[in-house]
Every structure is written in structure tokens, then in C-alpha cells.
């Protein structure tokens, strides 16, 4: 039952998902992107193979939408594909992959911390800062020392975010990971 009192069966949901999956192959980019966002928001595992395929697209926007959808859907295949995408040539795509892995981590997959920590050394500040924010939100003690190392960055925003991330990390507050 939705907010308007209408009843939807599992068959209705499955039919909608089927149509959205077909829309991923629509000739119009905006339709494909809207379908990907909807499938991601709905956690449609069936969309994972196509979203992984999209991570190899030449268009950074398509890659970013795929990364966001995979982050919402989660799972091993999505996590592995997003981890590979952390090495993409486009920094915007890398930042989207960082955020998507953070989303997966917040859903109970702390293993993403290991994949994220190396992005603290990214040559692009947007990627580095997105990584710091995700590590802060995950609050994993394995991130404390690598984050402390960012206190000496020349970029003021990176230093600020790193200090905040360590200050918000429960492990750092307990003195864990600092020795």
C-alpha cells in the first residue's frame, strides 16, 4: 500500500523493474540515466551487470550514474567493480566511485575501508576530499593513521576535513589506532 492507499503486488513491482531494465537500453541517454537511478534507488540486483558494463563507457556522466546506482544496490559484484573504478582516468568518476563505496560501507560492508584508504593519495583534491568524508562517515579505526597523515597537506580544505574526520572517529576518541 502506498501513501495514497493504493495496493501494489509483488507482480506489479517485478513488472516495473522489468520495464526499467529495458529502459536501460533506450536510445535516449536521459531515459537510460533515469532508469539507472530508479533501479539503483530500488536496489535492483538485476541491474548490476548492466551498471558494471556502464562503468566502462566513454562518457564520465554515464560512469558516474552507474557508480551511484551500484552504491545503492551494493553486493560483492558492485563492490568489486567500484573498487576497480577507483583507478579510472577521470577524477569525477573516481569521486563517484568513492562515494558509492562509502554508501556500500554504511550498509554494513566495512571491507570498503581498505579500498578507500589509498585514494587519500589521489592527485586530485576532489577525490581525496571525497575519500576523507566517506572514511569519516564509516568511522573505522583502520582509517585513523592514514587520516592523521593528511594533517600536513598543503590544501587547507583537505587538512580541515582530515582533522574533522579523526575528531569524529570513535576509535580515535578512544585512542585506538594512534599508536
Amino acid at each position: 500500500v502506498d501513501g495514497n492507499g493504493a495496493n501494489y503486488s509483488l507482480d506489479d513491482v517485478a513488472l516495473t523493474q522489468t520495464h526499467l531494465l529495458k529502459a536501460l537500453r533506450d536510445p535516449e541517454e536521459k531515459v537510460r540515466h533515469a532508469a539507472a537511478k530508479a533501479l539503483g534507488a530500488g536496489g535492483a540486483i538485476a541491474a548490476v551487470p548492466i551498471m558494471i558494463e556502464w562503468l566502462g563507457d566513454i562518457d564520465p556522466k554515464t560512469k558516474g550514474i552507474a557508480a551511484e546506482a551500484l552504491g545503492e544496490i551494493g553486493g560483492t559484484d558492485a563492490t568489486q567493480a567500484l573498487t576497480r573504478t577507483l583507478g579510472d582516468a577521470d577524477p569525477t568518476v573516481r569521486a563517484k566511485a568513492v562515494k558509492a563505496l562509502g554508501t556500500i560501507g554504511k550498509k554494513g560492508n566495512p571491507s570498503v575501508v581498505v579500498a578507500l584508504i589509498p585514494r587519500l593519495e589521489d592527485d586530485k583534491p576532489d577525490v581525496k576530499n571525497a575519500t576523507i568524508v566517506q572514511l569519516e562517515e564509516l568511522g573505522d579505526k583502520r582509517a585513523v593513521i592514514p587520516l592523521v597523515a593528511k594533517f600536513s597537506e598543503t590544501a587547507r580544505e583537505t587538512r580541515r576535513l582530515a582533522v574533522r574526520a579523526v575528531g569524529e572517529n570513535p576509535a580515535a576518541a578512544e585512542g585506538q589506532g594512534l599508536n
Side-chain angles (χ1 to χ4, degrees):
V1 178
D2 72 5
N4 296 320
N7 284 322
Y8 296 102
S9 71
L10 290 178
D11 289 337
D12 294 331
V13 173
L15 183 61
T16 300
Q17 183 174 336
T18 299
H19 287 293
L20 286 169
L21 287 166
K22 286 180 184 175
L24 292 175
R25 302 291 186 199
D26 193 273
E28 289 293 325
E29 180 182 84
K30 288 181 179 182
V31 172
R32 291 190 308 272
H33 289 178
K37 289 177 182 180
L39 287 161
I45 294 169
V48 169
I50 298 170
M51 294 300 96
I52 291 173
E53 177 186 317
W54 283 19
L55 290 175
D57 198 276
I58 59 168
D59 177 33
K61 183 175 181 180
T62 296
K63 290 179 181 183
I65 288 169
E68 290 171 349
L70 288 168
E72 292 295 325
I73 297 167
T76 303
D77 291 342
T79 302
Q80 290 172 350
L82 288 165
T83 299
R84 288 189 301 272
T85 304
L86 291 173
D88 194 273
D90 188 295
T92 305
V93 173
R94 291 195 307 273
K96 294 274 187 178
V98 162
K99 291 175 186 173
L101 284 167
T103 300
I104 290 172
K106 290 172 215 148
K107 292 180 180 181
N109 185 347
S111 70
V112 302
V113 171
V114 174
L116 290 174
I117 288 173
R119 286 296 100 204
L120 289 170
E121 302 306 322
D122 200 282
D123 62 340
K124 297 297 182 188
D126 289 347
V127 178
K128 192 179 295 190
N129 292 347
T131 303
I132 292 169
V133 169
Q134 294 309 310
L135 290 171
E136 174 187 355
E137 291 178 4
L138 292 170
D140 191 291
K141 70 180 179 180
R142 294 173 290 180
V144 174
I145 296 298
L147 286 167
V148 168
K150 298 293 114 190
F151 289 7
S152 61
E153 283 282 320
T154 55
R156 180 177 34 193
E157 181 65 3
T158 300
R159 288 193 317 270
R160 184 188 72 74
L161 288 170
V163 168
R164 185 182 77 189
V166 170
E168 294 294 322
N169 190 304
E174 296 168 10
Q176 298 174 14
L178 294 175
N179 42 17

